[in-house]
């Protein structure tokens, strides 16, 4: 019995920790070796198909079970939409905690802008 619950495998949903797409999720489509994921792809989250090192990824508990090895962007998009992965991620406690942490670094002006946007949205509905 292993202590590990999450493995770097085809179809595993990952959270990007650094780079221009940090904070977004993607799916592992192919693996090269033990240092670098060959290809990650996030067609529904705006992450382009690219190679990424493991040390800049965080493995999530979400996984696409029907994804074949080396799947193209169309297949990845279809599986993500079929599994409602983005909705599952948005509703997870982890994603909600990350959203709250983004507010911690706001200035007074930024906090005021968020409050005003919420007030305007509540008036429109």
């Amino acid at each position: 019995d292993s202590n590990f619950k999450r493995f770097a495998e085809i179809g595993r949903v990952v959270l990007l920790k650094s780079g221009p797409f940090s904070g977004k999720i993607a799916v592992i489509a192919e693996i090269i070796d033990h240092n670098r994921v060959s290809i990650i792809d996030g067609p529904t989250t705006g992450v382009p198909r690219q190679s990424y090192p493991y040390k800049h990824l965080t493995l999530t508990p979400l996984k696409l079970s029907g994804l074949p090895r080396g799947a193209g962007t169309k297949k990845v998009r279809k599986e993500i939409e079929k599994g409602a992965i983005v909705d599952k991620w948005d509703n997870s406690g982890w994603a909600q905690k990350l959203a709250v942490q983004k507010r911690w670094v706001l200035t007074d002006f930024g906090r005021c802008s968020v409050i005003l946007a919420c007030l305007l949205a509540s008036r429109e509905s």
Side-chain angles (χ1 to χ4, degrees):
D1 194 30
S2 176
N3 291 334
F4 298 105
K5 303 293 183 213
R6 301 177 199 153
F7 298 98
E9 54 191 330
I10 306 299
R12 176 66 63 186
V13 178
V14 294
L15 175 66
L16 306 178
K17 293 192 294 188
S18 66
F21 303 104
S22 64
K24 294 189 177 187
I25 59 171
V27 177
I28 297 176
E30 185 68 55
I31 296 175
I32 292 178
D33 60 15
H34 65 283
N35 287 326
R36 195 165 195 78
V37 173
S38 173
I39 299 173
I40 61 167
D41 199 0
T44 58
T45 58
V47 178
R49 193 173 180 89
Q50 61 185 309
S51 177
Y52 225 79
Y54 285 120
K55 65 182 178 179
H56 297 296
L57 299 175
T58 303
L59 301 173
T60 67
L62 302 173
K63 183 178 184 273
L64 295 173
S65 58
L67 193 69
R69 186 173 182 158
T73 302
K74 289 181 183 178
K75 180 69 173 171
V76 173
R77 179 185 301 273
K78 182 178 175 185
E79 290 293 324
I80 287 174
E81 290 171 353
K82 181 175 143 186
I85 294 297
V86 177
D87 292 334
K88 287 179 185 177
W89 172 252
D90 290 339
N91 293 330
S92 71
W94 191 353
Q96 292 172 359
K97 185 177 177 182
L98 287 175
V100 169
Q101 287 177 350
K102 287 181 183 179
R103 287 187 175 183
W104 292 350
V105 297
L106 291 177
T107 62
D108 287 340
F109 179 75
R111 282 189 285 276
C112 184
S113 298
V114 169
I115 291 170
L116 287 175
C118 291
L119 287 173
L120 291 175
S122 66
R123 281 187 173 179
E124 290 177 1
S125 58

